[in-house]
Structures are given as C-alpha cells and as structure tokens.
Amino acid sequence: MPPPAPKVKFRGRVLENEPLARYTTYRIGGPARYLVLPADADDVVKALDLAQSRGLPWFVLGLGSNLLVKDTGFPGVVIRIGKGLDRFEMKGATAIVGAGLPTPLLARRTAEAGFAGVERFIGIPGTVGGGVYMNAGCHGAEFAEVVTEVTTMDAKGKLKQLPRKQISYKYRSSNLGTVIVLEAKLALIEEPPAKLKELQGRLLRWRKAGTPFDQPCCGSVFKNPGGPRTAGALIDEAGLKGFTIGGAQVSALHANYIVNTGTATASDVLKLIEHVRKTVAKKMGVELELEVKVVG
Ligand SMILES: Cc1cc2nc3c(=O)[nH]c(=O)nc-3n(C[C@H](O)[C@H](O)[C@H](O)COP(=O)(O)OP(=O)(O)OC[C@H]3O[C@@H](n4cnc5c(N)ncnc54)[C@H](O)[C@@H]3O)c2cc1C
C-alpha cells in the first residue's frame, strides 16, 4: 500500500507521481514521488519535513534548464523554487532577488532600472537560485562576480545569510553544498538602460543564430576543459555534429548541445553523452567533464 497523502497544509501545491519532463527544458524525465511547488519559505520547510518524515531524499529544482532527469524519475521530494519566491527589489545599486526569479527577467529588470552586472545573462533560461548555486555565466560574466550575500536554508529548515567571502566559486560550481538558495543580494553598477538594452538585443540575436534555441535541450552538456579549445570545438573536430542515438542528437548548430529531437529518453541522452566522451578522449586526447546534472 502506498503511504497516505501528506496531511500537512501547504500554501502552494503538492503533486504525487508527477512526470518531471514537464519541468525540464529537455522535456525528458520520469516522475517525482512528490513534487512540491512552494508558495513561500514556510512551504519549503514543510517539504523538507515531508522528506524527513518519510525517509525520502529531496532535490531542489529551478527551471530544470541544466538537468537530465532519468527515465525512472526521482523517488523522493522535488522542491521546485519558482513563483512566490521570486522577489525583485532594487535598493540603490543592490538587487535583492528571490531564487525563483527567472534569470532573463533579472537581466531585463535590472537593465531597465539602469544597472549593469547581470545584463549579459539575458539568454540563460534558469532561475536566479540555479544560477547562484551553479555559478552560471556567459559572455565573460558569471554570478560569482556580483553576488554579495546568499540566503540559504539547510536540510533542517534553518536559514543562514552567507556573505560572499564565505562562498567559494569556481567555473560553473560553488561550495554551497546541500542547501536551498532562497535569496541573493547582487552588487550592480549604474549604466544607461538604452546601452544595456542594445547589448541584450545583440546577445539574443547571437544565441538565436548560434545555438539550437527552439529545440529542447539543457544548454552546454560539458564544461569547457580550460585548454585552447572549447568543449564544442573538440566535439565538432571529433566529427560528432549530427551524431544521433534514438531521439538524442549532437546539435549541428553547436556541438556542445545535445538536443531532444522529439522522442529522446534520458537513456538515449546518457548513451550519447558516453559516446561523445569516449570519442573525444580517443580522438582529441581530452577528458570532458559533465556540466549538466544527472538526477535519479
Ligand atoms: C538553451 C540553454 C542555454 C543555456 N545557456 C547557458 C549559459 O549561457 N550559461 C550557463 O551558465 N548556463 C546556461 N544554461 C544552463 C542553465 O540555464 C543554467 O545552469 C541555469 O543557471 C540553471 O538554472 P535552473 O534554475 O534551470 O536550475 P536547474 O536546472 O533546475 O538545477 C540545476 C542545479 O542547480 C540546483 N538548484 C537549482 N535551484 C536551486 C536553488 N534555489 N537552491 C539550490 N540549488 C538549486 C539543482 O539542484 C541542480 O543541481 C543554458 C541552458 C539552456 C537550456
């Protein structure tokens, strides 16, 4: 017999056996035992309690734009940080931002308010929480440069305000560990809105021309290895553009993107990742490391 539905009242929603494909940009992924859509920080505590009381693992989800959820799904509590936790406020040149705010919205609102620092993140389709946690970035900028404080909640529901100097950031990673990012303060610099808007237009046009913008994917699959060539250039030179397994394909537009052509399963993508990794190691002598997080 499955355990009875949770009795605790949430202000947000709790969905059972909810397919996660709907919540990832890959449009791939089996069900979560529970998917909690918290309306506020109290709901996040309740979601953690739910996991604890049932002895289930938990996982934080943003916009699912850097995730590959396995076909078998996640046998625990997925806590999706989004609406309700998406505050945006400017205090002088400091942006106070909820983790659930989409990063493109952050980029647009700060630019419109006349502040630079995150304007180049206009095309990163994740949440601020995911970006702060993963140290997302592009076009020579990353979250690590603007974050001054991060509010986190630990597995016991305890809140903490971490100043920037206590956080160590590396390329696409942080040492934040097993916590939920709820809010961040970002230090920005005044700049004319028209100039920022013009730059954002140019960057979006670049993305539309150079990446498979309209196909389900997770952005870059591998981290750039730090040598003279990017992961995309190495995969391209290994002759893998267009290589397909099942419904998963190395994009012909950008070789570090693996796209879901419509019917891909997580298993197709994982097989293709392995093939790319092995081929690049053999032909190019470089071990590629995953940027996408595999869940389940
Ligand atoms: C078309 C496309 C283009 C992209 N371009 C870029 C790019 O230019 N630069 C770049 O860096 N990335 C890029 N990405 C990847 C992705 O958008 C970023 O990594 C983004 O920051 C992930 O945010 P998310 O909310 O979607 O996180 P998710 O994918 O939901 O989660 C990613 C990881 O962050 C954790 N996480 C999410 N939210 C929180 C939270 N509130 N607290 C704690 N942990 C959390 C998750 O547990 C998981 O480990 C791209 C993706 C796509 C699909």
Side-chain angles (χ1 to χ4, degrees):
M1 272 254 294
K7 288 197 188 71
V8 180
K9 269 249 172 274
F10 283 80
R11 278 195 58 229
R13 297 173 70 199
V14 182
L15 305 170
E16 287 190 57
N17 300 316
E18 178 72 1
L20 289 172
R22 291 179 195 157
Y23 303 89
T24 69
T25 55
Y26 245 138
R27 299 282 171 260
I28 291 174
R33 179 71 191 88
Y34 295 105
L35 173 66
V36 178
L37 309 172
D40 53 28
D42 283 346
D43 272 357
V44 180
V45 177
K46 288 173 200 160
L48 291 166
D49 285 346
L50 173 67
Q52 161 97 41
S53 65
R54 278 156 205 255
L56 295 173
W58 56 272
F59 175 78
V60 199
L61 176 68
L63 279 167
S65 63
N66 199 52
L67 287 186
L68 179 62
V69 178
K70 288 190 179 167
D71 301 314
T72 44
F74 183 75
V77 179
V78 173
I79 307 167
R80 187 184 193 232
I81 305 296
K83 267 205 180 320
L85 291 159
D86 57 351
R87 157 183 193 204
F88 174 78
E89 197 183 320
M90 289 301 307
K91 272 199 180 153
T94 300
I96 305 165
V97 197
L101 187 76
T103 299
L105 218 51
L106 168 74
R108 186 161 306 127
R109 288 196 183 162
T110 50
E112 280 167 2
F115 291 97
V118 291
E119 72 281 4
R120 281 174 279 181
F121 303 164
I122 187 83
I124 300 181
T127 59
V128 168
V132 166
Y133 189 81
M134 297 260 322
N135 191 18
C138 54
H139 312 294
E142 53 184 19
F143 267 96
E145 293 160 9
V146 288
V147 166
T148 57
E149 188 182 283
V150 177
T151 304
T152 61
M153 184 181 280
D154 70 13
K156 293 192 171 126
K158 197 165 162 247
L159 289 171
K160 215 178 199 177
Q161 265 152 359
L162 292 170
R164 172 66 179 82
K165 62 176 186 300
Q166 280 181 28
I167 306 168
S168 146
Y169 275 119
K170 286 194 203 144
Y171 170 61
R172 300 296 170 265
S173 72
S174 72
N175 66 344
L176 285 165
T178 312
V179 295
I180 302 171
V181 173
L182 290 182
E183 205 166 272
K185 284 189 184 155
L186 314 173
L188 307 178
I189 298 165
E190 271 191 72
E191 194 121 9
K195 189 177 157 197
L196 298 171
K197 207 171 161 212
E198 190 275 329
L199 172 68
Q200 291 183 327
R202 249 189 302 133
L203 295 177
L204 282 178
R205 283 193 294 281
W206 174 87
R207 277 189 185 255
K208 281 189 180 146
T211 59
F213 212 72
D214 51 359
Q215 277 179 298
C217 67
C218 69
S220 296
V221 174
F222 299 100
K223 293 183 182 180
N224 286 322
R229 275 172 299 180
T230 61
L234 289 163
I235 300 166
D236 190 1
E237 281 172 48
L240 289 165
K241 265 191 176 171
F243 192 89
T244 304
I245 294 182
Q249 184 175 60
V250 176
S251 167
L253 211 52
H254 190 310
N256 197 17
Y257 280 52
I258 290 179
V259 296
N260 171 4
T261 59
T263 56
T265 59
S267 156
D268 291 341
V269 179
L270 286 169
K271 280 184 206 147
L272 188 50
I273 284 174
E274 250 338 277
H275 179 76
V276 169
R277 219 206 295 250
K278 278 192 184 141
T279 310
V280 169
K282 198 167 149 204
K283 288 194 178 173
M284 314 300 294
V286 178
E287 294 287 340
L288 291 176
E289 196 188 321
L290 272 190
E291 178 168 325
V292 61
K293 308 262 183 216
V294 180
V295 177

